[in-house]
Amino acid sequence: MGHKLKQIFLIVITSLLIFSILSACSKGKEKKAQGNESVSSQLNPVLSVQQRNDGIDFLIALENQSNHTVTLKFDSSKMFDITVTDTTGKENYRHSKGKKYKQDTEKVQIKAGASHLWKAKWKLSPEDRTAGIYKVKAVFNPSKVTPGSIKSENLVVTENLTLQSGLADLKNNSFRNIHFTGTDGEYKVSGEARVFEASFAYLVTDGHEVFVEQHVQTAEGAPAWAPFSFEIKIPEEDLPINGTLILELFYYSPKDGEKTDVLAVPLENFR
């Protein structure tokens, strides 16, 4: 009887030891996987946008904030893409549009604490520019990150672009002869509008926040041009510390309710 108890005791002890070893291995693998995942999550995308006389310069980078060298594998020479959209969501520029990419595997190594840079340019003459606030989005598209796993949401970065028009006269199909005066949040705006049912809207934004949004009624509707004028008042404490106030004139389409014929007018820069 004593011998059998010893055997049972040995079996129990052995089973507990095996279970402990397997648990330790499992935790080790899990910890390693979590460590690898944290490496890839420490790839920080950076985007810089500069307006030049001959267009818009983009500088994008991936910063490796981990303590390991990271290797990114790409299935083609298309390592990133950049898009620029206006406030209506319309795409005005796509870096990859019309380009041909080599379908060869390419690798980029980024050492711990270092960065890898890419440059791109949107060639845009002053005459072709439309003033407004645009959203610039850069997306990196590696097929594999070593060590680690890909979290695509971590490899996307956006910035606002405040585009200044090169035209002396601000106009489009619905608005013309725009004039404005004022500073520090108080402005007077006048012009002519040719809009459906003699009604249009305007808003003032810095690209992050909408400060004012109002509707305006003119004396006549399209096809006639009708004069308008209004005043804008924004409390001093609400003004941006660093940014540009943009006035957007537009009307809502009777077909789909979308903002139509948006005319963007830079009111004032704050630095």
Side-chain angles (χ1 to χ4, degrees):
M1 186 72 177
H3 181 68
K4 286 184 178 181
L5 285 173
K6 286 182 180 180
Q7 285 183 329
I8 293 170
F9 180 74
L10 287 172
I11 291 171
V12 171
I13 293 299
T14 304
S15 300
L16 288 172
L17 285 172
I18 293 172
F19 178 76
S20 298
I21 293 170
L22 289 174
S23 297
C25 291
S26 176
K27 288 181 180 178
K29 289 180 180 178
E30 182 181 350
K31 186 176 181 180
K32 185 178 180 181
Q34 289 176 346
N36 287 343
E37 186 176 337
S38 66
V39 170
S40 64
S41 67
Q42 290 182 53
L43 285 173
N44 181 48
V46 178
L47 170 62
S48 174
V49 184
Q50 295 290 332
Q51 183 173 328
R52 310 281 184 190
N53 289 333
D54 59 345
I56 312 300
D57 288 344
F58 305 103
L59 178 64
I60 59 175
L62 278 178
E63 297 177 345
N64 180 6
Q65 298 180 343
S66 73
N67 57 359
H68 297 79
T69 296
V70 175
T71 301
L72 295 94
K73 177 186 174 185
F74 299 87
D75 292 335
S76 73
S77 58
K78 182 182 177 182
M79 300 182 183
F80 65 90
D81 207 353
I82 298 173
T83 56
V84 180
T85 53
D86 61 22
T87 54
T88 68
K90 177 185 175 183
E91 185 175 288
N92 294 80
Y93 169 79
R94 179 176 288 270
H95 176 69
S96 62
K97 187 176 181 179
K99 289 183 170 61
K100 294 183 179 180
Y101 294 93
K102 295 180 181 179
Q103 300 303 310
D104 297 329
T105 300
E106 297 198 24
K107 293 184 178 180
V108 172
Q109 272 196 345
I110 310 176
K111 293 182 179 180
S115 302
H116 190 88
L117 304 177
W118 291 268
K119 293 181 180 180
K121 190 178 193 70
W122 178 15
K123 293 183 179 180
L124 187 67
S125 67
E127 293 76 17
D128 293 331
R129 297 176 189 173
T130 301
I133 296 178
Y134 295 78
K135 180 181 179 182
V136 183
K137 181 179 180 180
V139 179
F140 298 90
N141 48 13
S143 59
K144 187 177 181 180
V145 177
T146 306
S149 59
I150 298 175
K151 285 189 173 182
S152 57
E153 66 271 18
N154 292 339
L155 299 180
V156 177
V157 59
T158 60
E159 288 289 345
N160 283 334
L161 164 64
T162 302
L163 196 59
Q164 304 293 337
S165 175
L167 301 177
D169 189 22
L170 294 167
K171 61 182 179 180
N172 61 16
N173 291 329
S174 299
F175 304 97
R176 71 181 186 184
N177 297 330
I178 307 301
H179 301 282
F180 66 93
T181 59
T183 59
D184 300 327
E186 295 191 5
Y187 312 96
K188 293 182 179 180
V189 182
S190 62
E192 292 180 299
R194 181 174 60 183
V195 289
F196 178 71
E197 292 188 343
S199 177
F200 70 91
Y202 71 86
L203 61 81
V204 179
T205 178
D206 65 349
H208 299 283
E209 183 178 350
V210 174
F211 300 97
V212 178
E213 183 168 5
Q214 297 288 342
H215 289 268
V216 177
Q217 195 73 30
T218 61
E220 294 182 79
W225 285 99
F228 68 83
S229 65
F230 55 84
E231 295 184 3
I232 299 169
K233 292 185 178 181
I234 301 173
E236 184 178 353
E237 61 269 21
D238 293 340
L239 292 172
I241 298 175
N242 187 7
T244 300
L245 280 184
I246 295 286
L247 166 67
E248 290 188 355
L249 304 170
F250 58 93
Y251 70 90
Y252 289 105
S253 169
K255 292 182 180 179
D256 53 20
E258 295 294 323
K259 290 166 65 176
T260 304
D261 262 4
V262 179
L263 181 64
V265 182
L267 289 177
E268 188 173 2
N269 291 316
F270 294 88
R271 293 289 185 269

